Amino acid sequence: MSRVFVVTSGKGGVGKTTTSAALATGLALKGFKTVVIDFDVGLRNLDLVMGCERRVVFDFVNVIQGEATLNQALIQDKHVANGQLYILAASQTKDKEALKKEGVARVISDLKAMEFDFIICDSPAGIEQGALMAMYFADEAVVVTNPEVSSVRDSDRILGILSSKSQRAESGEEPIREHLLITRYDPARVETGQMISVDDVFDVLKVPVVGVIPESTDVIVASNTGNSVILNPESRAGMAYADTVERLLGTTVPMRFTSVERKQGILGRLFSKKRG
């Protein structure tokens, strides 16, 4: 059975698209047939982050409006060798109002019929039409937040919408399963009071933390080169995203990169060598 995820947040610039690309790539690397859909109509960038911008011929809105089939619009990712990852790009020219509920429902239904294991909906920021449509059909939500007050407050607003304005809420089904992902985390700045800690974020939002992604320049490099950061095995951010994928699949994985790594002094290194 297909699992529909929305990657969402109230605030822009927190790393939703980076997260959507990383989670979709990580799931595909695990052998799951995965599609990631860009709901940010008019401002698409998922195709850039995933390095397929030159291969976009038909887009999400073309499919909704019957101008193209899913087979025509889906782009197979070239970075995942097993062929299990596909991208459905957003339109750059249409208005967000083109995302009609009936049309989005039909696309999601058709993707399920194509036996995708995971359908990842990359939501735009805020609570406009694109974001509401990305959230509406979700079974599970990854709410992305930075460890700062304004981002956490906006995430709280999104959690309210997930619990009240989704298809599951309207039909009286089990609520959307919520996961919290904290991005751009720097434990050294937490220690100096410049950032909110993981525990403080949890205390405010009361949503299980599925991952903590450390601040890393690798994310910018990956985005600029069209390679998801999860493909970089030496990147701390990439490793943290890989851990997050494992947790979403039900595996218990220790949380890394949440505390300051203390550098051992000269005396410490000398005594450790003697003990060895």
Side-chain angles (χ1 to χ4, degrees), residues 54-204:
R54 296 182 182 179
R55 298 167 57 205
V56 178
V57 177
F58 296 108
D59 57 53
F60 190 16
V61 174
N62 290 141
V63 178
I64 288 175
Q65 296 181 341
E67 299 163 350
T69 66
L70 266 176
N71 283 328
Q72 289 176 297
L74 287 172
I75 301 169
Q76 189 172 36
D77 181 81
K78 291 186 175 181
H79 299 105
V80 178
N82 61 16
Q84 293 288 70
L85 179 58
Y86 294 81
I87 302 99
L88 183 55
S91 171
Q92 281 186 307
T93 58
K94 302 290 175 61
D95 187 85
K96 287 180 171 61
E97 296 305 314
L99 295 178
K100 302 296 184 183
K101 188 179 292 184
E102 297 77 11
V104 176
R106 186 174 64 252
V107 171
I108 297 291
S109 177
D110 289 347
L111 289 169
K112 290 179 178 180
M114 294 170 73
E115 299 184 341
F116 278 95
D117 297 303
F118 289 94
I119 300 169
I120 310 296
C121 302
D122 180 29
S123 170
I127 53 174
E128 44 76 32
Q129 179 72 3
L132 293 175
M133 285 299 96
M135 289 186 273
Y136 186 77
F137 297 97
D139 300 313
E140 302 186 43
V142 176
V143 179
V144 184
T145 188
N146 290 162
E148 57 182 60
V149 173
S150 62
S151 183
V152 172
R153 182 183 64 183
D154 289 347
S155 295
D156 201 21
R157 170 73 170 136
I158 292 298
L159 289 167
I161 293 172
L162 286 168
S163 64
S164 61
K165 292 189 176 182
S166 68
Q167 185 180 51
R168 284 177 168 268
E170 289 180 1
S171 60
E173 297 178 60
E174 287 290 320
I176 292 174
R177 185 180 178 192
E178 299 163 344
H179 312 273
L180 185 65
L181 183 73
I182 302 173
T183 55
R184 305 192 67 178
Y185 194 77
D186 184 343
R189 293 179 66 188
V190 171
E191 285 196 353
T192 59
Q194 298 176 57
M195 277 187 176
I196 305 172
S197 71
V198 173
D199 289 341
D200 287 340
V201 175
F202 175 77
D203 285 344
V204 172

Side-chain angles (χ1 to χ4, degrees), residues 264-276:
Q264 199 174 34
I266 295 174
L267 289 175
R269 289 197 297 271
L270 287 174
F271 281 113
S272 64
K273 286 180 180 179
K274 287 181 179 180
R275 285 195 296 269

